[in-house]
Amino acid sequence: MKQLQTEIKEFIEQRDWQRFHSPKNLAMALSVETAELVEIFQWLTPAQSHNVSSDTLVHIEEEIGDIMIYLTTLAAAFDLDPVSAAHKKLIKNAEKYPAKDKDASKEKNAD
Ligand SMILES: [Mg+2]
């Protein structure tokens, strides 16, 4: 993650783009890139969305890359680490949505 953050920071600085990168603009750009990913799947059936062409797969990968770049840049604007944020949120989600005890479920079904 640190290497990616450094590469993105250098890319931005070499082009003097940081003047455009307010958190507001970065959040908007992130939303636009996410919409570009959604557009790929628009009108596909669920089954079609599992079986995309190799060209579409390349397009999906590019949009995921765009999303990751803006997400990483937005997080950096607040000195946050996206991976750490995801770990923290998974812990919070696990508390909010506890996993069902599969063994207990089997015992109930056996009764
Ligand atoms: Mg894009």
Side-chain angles (χ1 to χ4, degrees):
M1 194 69 225
K2 286 286 175 203
Q3 184 184 343
L4 177 63
Q5 288 172 324
T6 300
E7 285 178 39
I8 293 170
K9 189 172 186 275
E10 286 174 3
F11 182 93
I12 292 167
E13 286 175 356
Q14 287 164 358
R15 288 155 185 81
D16 195 25
W17 284 355
Q18 60 271 35
R19 59 203 160 104
F20 303 117
H21 287 178
S22 65
K24 177 197 76 76
N25 284 358
L26 291 168
M28 293 174 78
L30 176 59
S31 177
V32 169
E33 294 301 340
T34 302
E36 289 178 4
L37 178 63
V38 171
E39 187 178 29
I40 295 170
F41 296 104
Q42 189 178 24
W43 311 122
L44 297 183
T45 66
Q48 288 171 329
S49 72
H50 282 285
N51 298 298
V52 297
S53 69
S54 57
D55 285 350
T56 300
L57 187 57
V58 169
H59 193 182
I60 290 168
E61 184 178 32
E62 288 177 351
E63 298 307 342
I64 287 173
D66 285 339
I67 290 165
M68 188 68 173
I69 290 167
Y70 279 122
L71 180 65
T72 301
T73 307
L74 178 60
F78 296 104
D79 203 22
L80 295 171
D81 179 343
V83 174
S84 172
H87 284 303
K88 287 180 187 174
K89 195 61 167 71
L90 274 175
I91 291 169
K92 198 170 181 178
N93 288 350
E95 290 169 0
K96 188 174 181 180
Y97 306 105
K100 290 181 183 166
D101 186 344
K102 291 179 182 173
D103 292 333
S105 176
K106 285 178 189 170
E107 288 170 17
K108 277 188 179 176
N109 289 337
D111 289 341

